[in-house]
Amino acid sequence: MGDTFQTVVDRDATPEDAPRLAGAVVDLLVAEGIVLARAEPGWALGDDPAHPPGPHWHKAVADARGGSPEGVAVYTRHRVFYSSFDDRWTAAVSCPRCRTGLRDTAPFSDPIDRWYRTGEADVECPACAATVPLEAWNWTEDHLAFVHLGLVFWNWPRLADEFRARLVRLLGGHRTAYLPGKV
């Protein structure tokens, strides 16, 4: 069985912007009855507090017959998010400056560790020699995201495309990533 998650991340939110943007998203979700206002432990995997589903949670999903959801955890500090649905996936990343794709992700190991600890890390592109912040690199089909703002929907039926598009608009048109998975 296991638990499923769908994560929507804002790839452009700065550490300073993340709390404000998260507040705007939660305010909208509460106003529409999609989640309840108070985040509580027990509604997400682990001890993290999450917003329980509200009476109109079905407005956010493509098909409400997929079952009743658990909570929405909101993270506003640097974090590494991932997707785990495709076991055949092999990491690939492209430089945002020269667009060169790389299959060898070994040079990213230390920067990923540094990002996890500090929220900052740069990687030098082997193709164009530009030094680029780790969070700016483009991972294949958004399987990894190094961000300061993420919303994790635990055990929700598939989020509707229209709902995800509304979140993007609410986040000021920032680049977002959608990372579904199962643990």
Side-chain angles (χ1 to χ4, degrees):
M1 298 247 357
D3 291 295
T4 61
F5 60 89
Q6 297 171 77
T7 305
V8 177
V9 300
D10 183 328
R11 293 187 56 179
D12 295 329
T14 65
E16 298 77 25
D17 289 339
R20 177 184 55 78
L21 291 168
V25 170
V26 170
D27 288 349
L28 173 75
L29 297 180
V30 169
E32 293 188 3
I34 294 171
V35 300
L36 300 181
R38 184 170 175 221
E40 302 173 1
W43 287 96
L45 193 64
D47 295 331
D48 293 338
H51 296 271
H56 302 294
W57 62 266
H58 60 277
K59 290 178 168 182
V61 301
D63 184 356
R65 293 175 294 186
S68 60
E70 292 182 28
V72 177
V74 180
Y75 299 95
T76 59
R77 297 191 65 197
H78 71 275
R79 193 174 179 98
V80 179
F81 290 99
Y82 65 92
S83 176
S84 66
F85 269 157
D86 190 352
D87 291 337
R88 298 165 298 165
W89 173 75
T90 55
V93 61
S94 61
C95 174
R97 303 274 165 80
C98 70
R99 304 213 190 304
T100 298
L102 308 171
R103 286 259 177 231
D104 178 13
T105 57
F108 291 85
S109 182
D110 288 339
I112 288 172
D113 287 343
R114 196 166 39 259
W115 169 268
Y116 186 77
R117 287 189 321 275
T118 69
E120 294 180 7
D122 294 326
V123 179
E124 183 176 312
C125 177
C128 70
T131 300
V132 181
L134 178 62
E135 65 270 23
W137 288 79
N138 299 306
W139 293 84
T140 303
E141 297 181 23
D142 291 327
H143 281 283
L144 286 174
F146 304 90
V147 299
H148 299 281
L149 174 57
L151 296 95
V152 183
F153 293 76
W154 283 102
N155 293 311
W156 284 58
R158 180 168 170 72
L159 297 176
D161 292 340
E162 306 82 44
F163 174 73
R164 289 180 18 218
R166 286 180 46 225
L167 290 179
V168 171
R169 286 192 301 275
L170 188 60
L171 295 169
H174 286 181
R175 294 176 308 138
T176 61
Y178 172 69
L179 300 100
K182 184 174 184 176
V183 290

